[in-house]
Amino acid sequence: MIGRLLLTATGALALAVPSVAQDMAITNATVATGDGSDPIEGATVIVRGGKVVAAGRDVAVPAGMEAIDGTGKWVTPGIFSAITSLGLWDVEAVGESDDTSARGGPFSAALDVATALNPDAQPVLVNRMGGVTRASIVANPSASIFGGQGAIVDLGADPDMVTRRRAFQTVALGEGGARLAGGSRVSAQALLRNALREARQYGDDAQIPGMASQPPEQRSGDDIPLDPRLVDNRTERGDDSLLTRFDASALVPVVRGEQPLYVYVERAADIRSVLALTGEFPQLKLVLVGASEGWLAARDIAAAGVPVIADPLDDLPSSFEQIAATQSNVGRMMRAGVKVALGKLGGGTGSQPRNAPQFAGNLVALTKLPGATGLSWGEALASITSVPAEIAGYGGRLGVLAPGAAGDVVVWDGDPLEVSSAPVRIFIDGVEQPMENHQTRLRDRYRNLERGDLPKAYDW
């Protein structure tokens, strides 16, 4: 029986998976391109060969191309979740289905989330139906201050969700890093500096090739290569090394600036300490994550040219490192010239990034409150589409409706930043995605159940 059920389920999945990208034009819609500009009414979006060809007003539909009437609809790029754990868990409360942390494991920086991603996890499907088409996937630092290497993914209904693996490294500082490092920020900072020094020395001594000289995987052209020396144990290391060979190797691209380092940090003083790292390791490519007090250090962040992934509405201090948290944090940082994407490790935009439009809309609403600093509508949409794509290294290629960008297009039944609106059609790389998941199937199964009906387990 189980085999038949699996066969039935597999068949249903196969039927649900779309096949190829379709050439199309969505006409007469309200189009928001995601680049920070205002929405355009009566506009057209054209996708050909999985790429956006044009978006705007007075765009002619090529002869013979399928035209979708977008009257009354809004069209945007797909949401790009700046940081989330989608694909690493099925039920967060069930440890066996949760691969977001490896508290008891021997490795840290070497962890590669791409090895555990599950494109069929129901949270992936649910969030895809919410308009999320791309994401940066992270594991939480747990065994050490390093969380491992994150991946850039798409949420398409196909077996391979990885766009780029080993795309960035994560590290926890502040209070979280202090706990993992033995109880103090001093220890966390010492561990981080020692790790970067070891990685720098290890990379030089072992002559570990850089990304540009030896890209072993031809996936996107900018993948971080796996060090070929990890297949054997010929590389000797000093007796006082704290990192394992795998972890040291994984940090070589970080210290060389080939792999961004996402740093979890909240307090303004801690942010400045992180920015100071570039004095010792000038090639570091930093991204701040959290930054609840970022507005207090906004000028320093802007001057350093470091982007931020910030919780959109983190205004109640849940710890001493968030005493100055305010809902105006994102707006104030942007006004200071900081590039800010919305995101969070957990909660509203972390485990459920489909809620990102709601939070972005709330930042627009802030502009109506005296004394508050919010975002314009265009800025708010960009903070969940094009800006996270830029931080991930895909500026102009993802998260935007511009010529040459991926055909990640979402058609909404209304203003996407209003909670009453929802996607009605979703395309990833020009391929239309199924509008079905476990939640919709449960809804349909039980919506018309009569009192005398047999339990659904007897339906064949």
Side-chain angles (χ1 to χ4, degrees), residues 8-26:
T8 303
T10 304
L13 286 173
L15 290 174
V17 175
S19 55
V20 296
Q22 62 187 87
D23 298 340
M24 62 178 176
I26 306 173

Side-chain angles (χ1 to χ4, degrees), residues 211-298:
M211 175 178 61
S213 61
Q214 190 176 351
E217 299 177 15
Q218 301 300 322
R219 296 175 61 85
S220 63
D222 47 5
D223 300 76
I224 297 298
L226 184 66
D227 170 25
R229 285 169 175 76
L230 292 181
V231 300
D232 59 35
N233 58 1
R234 288 175 298 173
T235 304
E236 301 296 333
R237 306 192 60 212
D239 293 336
D240 63 344
S241 298
L242 296 181
L243 295 177
T244 66
R245 183 163 52 91
F246 270 44
D247 289 335
S249 175
L251 290 173
V252 171
V254 173
V255 77
R256 290 180 176 175
E258 298 167 347
Q259 188 184 58
L261 181 63
Y262 284 31
V263 186
Y264 305 153
V265 65
E266 303 287 352
R267 194 168 69 180
D270 293 336
I271 290 172
R272 293 190 177 97
S273 293
V274 172
L275 299 178
L277 283 170
T278 55
E280 187 175 353
F281 305 96
Q283 293 179 301
L284 280 184
K285 194 173 179 181
L286 298 171
V287 176
L288 303 179
V289 181
S292 297
E293 295 186 354
W295 65 279
L296 291 174

Side-chain angles (χ1 to χ4, degrees), residues 26-339:
I26 306 173
T27 63
N28 200 34
T30 299
V31 174
T33 61
D35 63 357
S37 60
D38 292 332
I40 309 168
E41 294 183 357
T44 295
V45 177
I46 295 178
V47 176
R48 186 192 292 278
K51 301 286 187 182
V52 175
V53 174
R57 196 176 287 131
D58 302 324
V59 172
V61 179
M65 178 175 283
E66 177 190 3
I68 300 171
D69 183 10
T71 302
K73 303 295 191 299
W74 287 58
V75 180
T76 70
I79 297 167
F80 193 123
S81 179
I83 192 164
T84 179
S85 56
L86 279 183
L88 293 178
W89 55 278
D90 291 289
V91 178
E92 288 180 294
V94 178
E96 291 82 357
S97 76
D98 188 344
D99 295 306
T100 59
S101 63
R103 190 168 292 106
F107 299 113
S108 56
L111 300 177
D112 180 354
V113 301
T115 59
L117 289 172
N118 178 17
D120 296 325
Q122 287 301 316
V124 173
L125 277 60
V126 169
N127 280 276
R128 181 174 66 218
M129 279 192 62
V132 182
T133 58
R134 306 276 173 171
S136 295
I137 309 296
V138 298
N140 298 323
S142 51
S144 92
I145 59 174
F146 293 104
Q149 301 171 94
I152 310 299
V153 306
D154 71 69
L155 275 62
D158 58 71
D160 185 8
M161 64 190 303
V162 177
T163 302
R164 177 155 52 107
R165 66 188 305 171
R166 299 189 293 276
F168 55 90
Q169 179 64 244
T170 56
V171 64
L173 294 179
E175 292 183 5
R179 283 192 296 271
L180 294 168
S184 78
R185 287 176 170 82
V186 178
S187 179
Q189 286 278 346
L191 274 175
L192 174 59
R193 283 178 157 79
N194 176 76
L196 295 176
R197 289 171 187 152
E198 284 192 22
R200 181 167 57 192
Q201 189 64 45
Y202 183 60
D204 292 341
D205 291 348
Q207 297 181 347
I208 295 177
M211 175 178 61
S213 61
Q214 190 176 351
E217 299 177 15
Q218 301 300 322
R219 296 175 61 85
S220 63
D222 47 5
D223 300 76
I224 297 298
L226 184 66
D227 170 25
R229 285 169 175 76
L230 292 181
V231 300
D232 59 35
N233 58 1
R234 288 175 298 173
T235 304
E236 301 296 333
R237 306 192 60 212
D239 293 336
D240 63 344
S241 298
L242 296 181
L243 295 177
T244 66
R245 183 163 52 91
F246 270 44
D247 289 335
S249 175
L251 290 173
V252 171
V254 173
V255 77
R256 290 180 176 175
E258 298 167 347
Q259 188 184 58
L261 181 63
Y262 284 31
V263 186
Y264 305 153
V265 65
E266 303 287 352
R267 194 168 69 180
D270 293 336
I271 290 172
R272 293 190 177 97
S273 293
V274 172
L275 299 178
L277 283 170
T278 55
E280 187 175 353
F281 305 96
Q283 293 179 301
L284 280 184
K285 194 173 179 181
L286 298 171
V287 176
L288 303 179
V289 181
S292 297
E293 295 186 354
W295 65 279
L296 291 174
R299 291 184 179 178
D300 297 321
I301 301 171
V306 173
V308 174
I309 300 171
D311 186 343
L313 295 173
D314 201 0
D315 69 330
L316 295 177
S318 58
S319 62
F320 278 97
E321 63 183 354
Q322 296 176 299
I323 294 297
T326 167
Q327 292 187 358
S328 292
N329 183 40
V330 172
R332 290 175 182 174
M333 283 194 287
M334 281 198 183
R335 297 289 87 81
V338 180
K339 180 180 295 183

Side-chain angles (χ1 to χ4, degrees), residues 354-401:
R354 61 186 169 133
N355 296 329
Q358 173 186 341
F359 287 96
N362 286 339
L363 291 181
V364 177
L366 274 184
T367 61
K368 311 295 182 183
L369 299 179
T373 305
L375 305 181
S376 70
W377 195 98
E379 289 174 330
L381 182 67
S383 70
I384 57 174
T385 54
S386 63
V387 174
E390 290 174 15
I391 292 174
Y394 286 87
R397 294 184 286 169
L398 297 174
V400 66
L401 299 180

